[in-house]
Amino acid sequence: MFHLLQSGFFWWPVFLAVFLGLAAARPARFASFVVLAVLLGFFSGLSHKDGLIGFLWMLYGAAFVVFYVPWLRRLLISNRLLSFYRRSMPEISATEREALEAGTVWWDGELFSGNPRWQQLLDLPAPKLSAEEQAFLDGPVEALCGMLDDHRICNVDKDLTPETWRFIKERGFFGMMIPKQYGGMAFSNMGHAAVILKIASRSISAALTVMIPNSVGPGKLLLKYGTQAQKDHWLPRLARGEEIPCFALTGPEAGSDAGALPDVGVVCKDGQGTLGIRLNFEKRYISMGPIATVLGVAFKLEDPEHLLGEKTHLGITLALVPAKTPGVRTGTRHDQLHMAFMNGPLYGKDVFIPMDMVIGGVEQAGKGWRMLMESLTDGRAISLPALSTATAKLATRVTSAYARVRRQFKLPISQFEGVRESLARLAGNTYAMDGARLTTLAALDAGHKPAVISAIVKYNLTDRSRQVINDAMDVHGGAALSLGPRNPLGTFHSYPQMGVTVEGHNILTRNLITFGQGAIRCHPYLLKELQAASNRDQKAARRDFDAAVMQHLSFTINNKARAFLHGLTGSHFIAVPTAPMALKWHYQQLTRMSAAFAFVTDVLLLTLRGEVKRRERLSARMADIISQLYMASAALKHYYDQGNQPGDLILVDWVCRDSLYRIQQSFDALFRNLPSRWLAASLRCVVFPLGRPYRAPSDALENQLAAAILRPSAERDRLTAGMYIPGDMQEKVKLLDEAFQKAVETRGLREKLKAAARDKTLQAKGDAQITEAVQKGLITPGEAAALRAAENLRREAIKVDDFADLKTHS
Ligand SMILES: Cc1cc2nc3c(=O)[nH]c(=O)nc-3n(C[C@H](O)[C@H](O)[C@H](O)COP(=O)(O)OP(=O)(O)OC[C@H]3O[C@@H](n4cnc5c(N)ncnc54)[C@H](O)[C@@H]3O)c2cc1C
């Protein structure tokens, strides 16, 4: 026995286990040193001739010196690392720096830390509508939705009706985000999003029309950066809808790379000696551009005659240009994939604007890029998620109803497993999207401006809107293709492509922005290291870098140890919120994957360094992992905020399982494509020490999801809450809802007739069968009437449109 204790077979695993345990638990550093010293001392006593113990003592001594003799540590380690850093870390351009500095870090920072504090997320107050916002939704928004005929808007008029335009302007829809002192409604982000969502569930084109002045339109920029005179002049006019704004950044040569815009403004004086800017620009895809009365224009400002100061190239600047200014040309439209909101090019040739048209005045000249980056959050985190979720809610509502009333092979198509698969994805994705949308709104309303999260929700929600529309259209079959008032989805089919493209195309957002910026912005130490490395004061640089890098080192070791140990132990020992117990496993697995993500982030940054920017596909997989961590954690928060509704447990379960599975797939693809096989194998061993543990949601779970929306249920209502449901039976959404309701109510009667037909009690078919059933006393006349009413509604609900005025021959 003593011999066994002396052998390395005993003490080596014990030493490793204690070391890993200390690294994972991260007690006070000195305590760790004491524990390891006692352990090594004990093993030395047992096995004093073992050379490996001597080697470990040497390592221990080196580590002790590194941590407790700062001057030696700097000399041997951190100063060298600093030089290495300066040589190899990616260069950050001025525009990238401004993008990095915009906004704040919130839950994204927790996920990047590897040890998210769940209680903090759950404690964030759920977003709420004020009484005023609710009244606006129930009054003017409900009325506006009633005025909208999306088929006519998109396929016939290509515009809203004049009455609708008037209503939108007069009822203050353009001033939702403008403070009351300027005549606006001062809505919260939640209020704004709820209005956009409800309108969007009726008509995307109308929602875009309302959305643009409230998000990208220069109202918010004016509020934040405008001079008092600019605010006093423009904000009341914008709130009253007297001025229609647009914001023009994109041009033929400046799309994704918007910072490279070639439009130039030159500081000069006009004939009367007024100091101003002579501006030339060519813009395209500008929403509201064709009818805007005031254009927010981004351009590069030059001051060759030094009329403003020393600098010649002042940089990107934003100015307000009234559309009537000589030299401005507007009025033509792009046809954006059959959506009918106003969008078109803008041109400016030698347009002279006085200096006070620069947003924020001359002090803000050249600071436009930062202003733009800071205002991106609105479109990305509020408007596009509202549009995408509206699409999902509508798709879920009408598709679940249609699947119940559409019959093929003598059965409602909802009974076929293939259709249930699409229905389950619809329900699960809608829950995930609503959770991410509302959790992000909670953060915004609490004053956070999370730039990386806004990129995550933009890219993931617009991407999922593609999936939900495809699923919904698949289930509708030909009924989804035949355009007309009877098709509730046809005009929504174009939306996802637009959502994916605007505010930073998803390919760019996924491959370049999310992880590229997130790793620097949200990492607890990297930005500090980069800032220290770029400090010209060498003494301060070395001191700050040393402090950051030492913390970084123990952070990386800790995450590695935790990821590995949690992988070995099934993560059962992770302390997480425990209510309800059914979700404990999800919290634990997400914490484990967050630790793995944080560790792999560090390894990638260390091994790929500047290459990280160019290896977009690796970066995209990391973006997918952080995205899924966010989507799942938002679903858990959503479940909690909605009062832990037991019926929704299957939905949150589906979202978390789906996310964990996707995380696993992304890690797997990342490891397969790493340039170094050795590195890939060792990372795989840390992240998945016992193999890949996650499975995609099972068929059984998906069947339960489909079943939950295939009956009138609280779950179905919660999933589709906030969308517009018309009251008029002529409207397809209402008709489908009623037909669905009646189909469910009469199901038992239909089963009865079916059984009677099977045993030949009933001989007749179709409507005659109902008559025969009454005659034979199988059902009452009242039940027969209910069956007939349900069948009539069903027949009505599956009808599609045809048009006499469409050309039928050449
Ligand atoms: C309906 C609509 C409304 C719009 N409204 C406005 C508006 O009001 N104001 C305004 O200023 N602009 C507006 N835009 C413009 C919009 O912001 C741009 O379309 C968008 O930024 C993409 O630019 P692009 O279309 O020129 O695509 P491109 O820049 O040509 O990109 C083409 C493809 O290349 C990819 N790509 C480019 N660079 C990279 C890279 N480094 N890594 C990976 N992939 C890359 C992109 O992701 C994309 O998939 C609108 C566009 C549309 C379609």
Side-chain angles (χ1 to χ4, degrees):
M1 180 69 181
F2 185 69
H3 188 68
L4 183 70
L5 285 182
Q6 278 186 311
S7 92
F9 285 114
F10 165 70
W11 64 260
W12 179 233
V14 173
F15 181 81
L16 201 65
V18 172
F19 179 81
L20 275 174
L22 288 171
R26 223 176 171 184
R29 194 185 291 156
F30 193 71
S32 303
F33 272 103
V34 170
V35 171
L36 290 176
V38 169
L39 203 66
L40 276 176
F42 177 65
F43 292 143
S44 305
L46 281 178
S47 177
H48 57 276
K49 285 189 195 135
D50 196 324
L52 197 56
I53 292 191
F55 176 68
L56 284 179
W57 270 117
M58 272 169 56
L59 278 185
Y60 179 90
F64 195 86
V65 167
V66 163
F67 282 105
Y68 289 101
V69 190
W71 65 268
L72 195 59
R73 172 177 74 229
R74 285 188 203 163
L75 188 75
L76 293 178
I77 303 178
S78 56
N79 289 354
R80 285 162 195 257
L81 268 178
L82 179 58
S83 318
F84 170 74
Y85 229 78
R86 284 177 168 152
R87 278 198 314 273
S88 57
M89 270 322 209
E91 263 210 21
I92 302 181
S93 66
T95 47
E96 277 175 315
R97 179 163 295 126
E98 283 180 289
L100 279 173
E101 284 165 6
T104 58
V105 176
W106 168 63
W107 185 245
D108 36 358
E110 293 289 319
L111 295 174
F112 266 94
S113 78
N115 202 1
R117 286 168 289 181
W118 292 101
Q119 204 53 49
Q120 268 193 12
L121 180 70
L122 299 182
D123 287 346
L124 183 76
K128 278 203 170 58
L129 293 170
S130 68
E132 205 177 329
E133 289 163 350
Q134 189 62 58
F136 190 71
L137 279 163
D138 297 340
V141 180
E142 185 80 11
L144 173 64
C145 289
M147 296 165 79
L148 301 170
D149 172 350
D150 207 32
H151 167 66
R152 191 166 161 198
I153 292 170
C154 294
N155 301 321
V156 183
D157 296 345
K158 296 263 175 205
D159 194 3
L160 309 179
T161 61
E163 306 82 70
T164 312
W165 275 106
R166 218 172 14 255
F167 188 82
I168 288 174
K169 290 179 192 171
E170 284 172 1
R171 300 307 290 266
F173 281 84
F174 287 157
M176 283 192 285
M177 301 310 282
I178 294 177
K180 290 193 172 165
Q181 73 209 77
Y182 298 109
M185 292 195 279
F187 275 6
S188 63
N189 295 303
M190 174 66 182
H192 174 197
V195 172
I196 300 298
L197 185 145
K198 187 163 178 171
I199 304 172
S201 68
R202 178 71 161 162
S203 162
I204 291 284
S205 299
L208 285 166
T209 304
V210 171
M211 173 196 124
I212 284 142
N214 283 292
S215 59
V216 293
K220 276 208 147 181
L221 284 173
L222 278 171
L223 261 177
K224 187 149 186 205
Y225 300 102
T227 61
Q228 196 53 49
Q230 288 172 337
K231 290 181 195 171
D232 291 341
H233 178 82
W234 292 107
L235 292 177
R237 289 171 170 79
L238 289 170
R240 289 194 296 267
E242 286 168 18
E243 298 279 359
I244 302 287
C246 69
F247 193 80
L249 172 64
T250 309
E253 298 296 347
S256 301
D257 187 9
L261 77 177
D263 309 299
V264 171
V266 177
V267 182
C268 61
K269 287 187 176 165
D270 72 355
Q272 285 81 49
T274 310
L275 186 65
I277 299 168
R278 189 161 309 284
L279 196 51
N280 285 283
F281 56 89
E282 183 182 359
K283 305 288 189 185
R284 66 179 182 184
Y285 310 148
I286 308 306
S287 303
M288 302 296 263
I291 57 157
T293 58
V294 54
L295 327 177
V297 181
F299 57 90
K300 283 193 175 141
L301 186 62
E302 307 272 324
D303 186 12
E305 295 177 45
H306 299 284
L307 296 171
L308 295 179
E310 299 279 291
K311 264 179 138 177
T312 307
H313 307 289
L314 283 109
I316 296 175
T317 300
L318 313 182
L320 293 171
V321 182
K324 286 192 182 132
T325 314
V328 172
R329 186 153 60 88
T330 69
T332 59
R333 280 175 72 181
H334 301 303
D335 187 353
Q336 293 285 5
L337 213 60
H338 304 304
M339 284 177 289
F341 68 106
M342 294 289 153
N343 184 280
L346 303 174
Y347 306 93
K349 176 116 184 66
D350 292 331
V351 180
F352 181 82
I353 52 164
M355 214 59 210
D356 59 11
M357 287 295 196
V358 170
I359 297 182
V362 79
E363 280 100 84
Q364 295 292 340
K367 298 189 183 149
W369 190 250
R370 186 186 203 107
M371 289 153 80
L372 285 173
M373 290 302 108
E374 295 204 337
S375 61
L376 267 179
T377 309
D378 279 12
R380 287 185 180 168
I382 304 172
S383 317
L384 289 167
L387 296 175
S388 304
T389 313
T391 307
K393 283 174 184 273
L394 175 77
T396 296
R397 187 105 193 164
V398 297
T399 311
S400 53
Y402 186 79
R404 195 80 210 235
V405 298
R406 173 69 179 155
R407 299 173 73 86
Q408 287 295 285
F409 304 99
K410 299 192 178 139
L411 289 171
I413 57 170
S414 58
Q415 298 204 7
F416 302 123
E417 282 201 353
V419 171
R420 283 182 173 236
E421 183 186 346
S422 297
L423 290 169
R425 260 201 312 267
L426 270 171
N429 278 320
T430 304
Y431 191 84
M433 292 163 78
D434 216 16
R437 178 185 82 89
L438 288 166
T439 300
T440 310
L441 286 170
L444 295 179
D445 277 344
H448 300 283
K449 287 255 171 206
V452 174
I453 296 247
S454 70
I456 290 175
V457 283
K458 186 272 165 183
Y459 134 55
N460 283 277
L461 269 55
T462 53
D463 190 55
R464 287 190 192 222
S465 73
R466 264 182 175 165
Q467 179 70 54
V468 294
I469 277 292
N470 285 347
D471 278 325
M473 295 197 77
D474 283 348
V475 174
H476 274 77
L481 281 135
S482 309
L483 291 179
R486 291 175 188 275
N487 181 346
L489 295 170
T491 53
F492 284 78
H493 189 238
S494 314
Y495 162 69
Q497 196 53 42
M498 190 218 88
V500 157
T501 306
V502 298
E503 308 265 355
H505 194 289
N506 276 8
I507 295 187
L508 182 87
T509 307
R510 172 174 179 248
N511 286 263
L512 210 64
I513 297 176
T514 308
F515 183 68
Q517 286 187 4
I520 299 177
R521 189 75 174 86
C522 304
H523 192 289
Y525 305 110
L526 194 66
L527 191 56
K528 287 184 195 156
E529 287 161 6
L530 285 172
Q531 280 164 344
S534 59
N535 192 342
R536 294 205 178 152
D537 175 348
Q538 291 303 321
K539 207 168 155 201
R542 286 183 183 149
R543 184 197 56 222
D544 296 346
F545 186 81
D546 176 64
V549 97
M550 281 302 119
Q551 286 172 311
H552 192 160
L553 189 67
S554 67
F555 168 81
T556 310
I557 294 172
N558 173 255
N559 277 323
K560 178 177 181 177
R562 286 177 47 250
F564 181 67
L565 283 180
H566 295 329
L568 280 183
T569 57
S571 315
H572 295 303
F573 302 108
I574 302 176
V576 291
T578 48
M581 278 308 277
L583 296 181
K584 190 175 171 195
W585 186 82
H586 294 311
Y587 280 109
Q588 290 175 325
Q589 298 309 318
L590 291 169
T591 303
R592 170 186 167 190
M593 285 297 106
S594 164
F597 173 76
F599 170 62
V600 175
T601 297
D602 277 333
V603 173
L604 288 186
L605 291 172
L606 188 71
T607 51
L608 295 175
R609 302 184 293 277
E611 273 290 296
V612 134
K613 258 176 157 182
R614 282 178 287 280
R615 301 299 303 266
E616 284 194 0
R617 297 199 63 189
L618 298 182
S619 179
R621 268 98 182 211
M622 292 301 276
D624 289 343
I625 295 169
I626 183 84
S627 293
Q628 295 309 323
L629 287 171
Y630 185 67
M631 296 300 289
S633 46
L636 290 168
K637 160 94 176 136
H638 185 47
Y639 183 75
Y640 178 82
D641 284 348
Q642 290 203 323
N644 297 340
Q645 302 291 337
D648 290 352
L649 209 49
I650 48 170
L651 290 163
V652 69
D653 189 29
W654 184 93
V655 176
C656 292
R657 285 182 192 280
D658 177 62
S659 288
L660 286 165
Y661 183 67
R662 292 197 206 195
I663 289 171
Q664 177 174 281
Q665 301 295 86
S666 300
F667 268 132
D668 187 49
L670 177 86
F671 298 155
R672 278 181 202 282
N673 289 285
L674 279 178
S676 156
R677 299 318 309 140
W678 172 86
L679 182 67
S682 51
L683 283 180
R684 197 183 284 282
C685 175
V686 173
V687 176
F688 299 123
L690 301 180
R692 284 171 283 168
Y694 306 122
R695 303 279 168 270
S698 67
D699 292 357
L701 176 61
E702 296 207 329
N703 268 333
Q704 288 182 51
L705 255 68
I709 57 168
L710 283 168
R711 56 172 190 266
S713 62
E715 296 86 68
R716 183 170 183 263
D717 288 343
R718 270 193 299 275
L719 270 181
T720 56
M723 67 172 277
Y724 174 69
I725 300 188
D728 183 351
M729 284 290 285
Q730 301 300 314
E731 298 276 358
K732 188 64 182 268
V733 176
K734 178 71 179 169
L735 177 65
L736 273 168
D737 239 29
E738 284 297 311
F740 166 74
Q741 182 81 33
K742 293 276 179 288
V744 174
E745 284 166 12
T746 53
R747 182 179 172 192
L749 293 174
R750 277 198 312 280
E751 295 295 330
K752 206 173 184 180
L753 297 199
K754 228 175 172 178
R758 255 198 316 269
D759 65 21
K760 310 272 192 252
T761 313
L762 294 177
Q763 307 289 331
K765 298 255 180 285
D767 190 67
Q769 190 182 61
I770 300 177
T771 313
E772 190 187 359
V774 176
Q775 283 162 358
K776 293 190 171 161
L778 281 177
I779 57 173
T780 66
E783 288 171 333
L787 272 172
R788 288 203 169 98
E791 178 59 10
N792 287 344
L793 275 175
R794 190 191 77 77
R795 295 275 309 169
E796 203 54 34
I798 61 166
K799 279 187 183 160
V800 297
D801 294 289
D802 47 64
F803 299 96
D805 54 348
L806 281 179
K807 217 171 165 186
T808 52
H809 56 84
S810 55

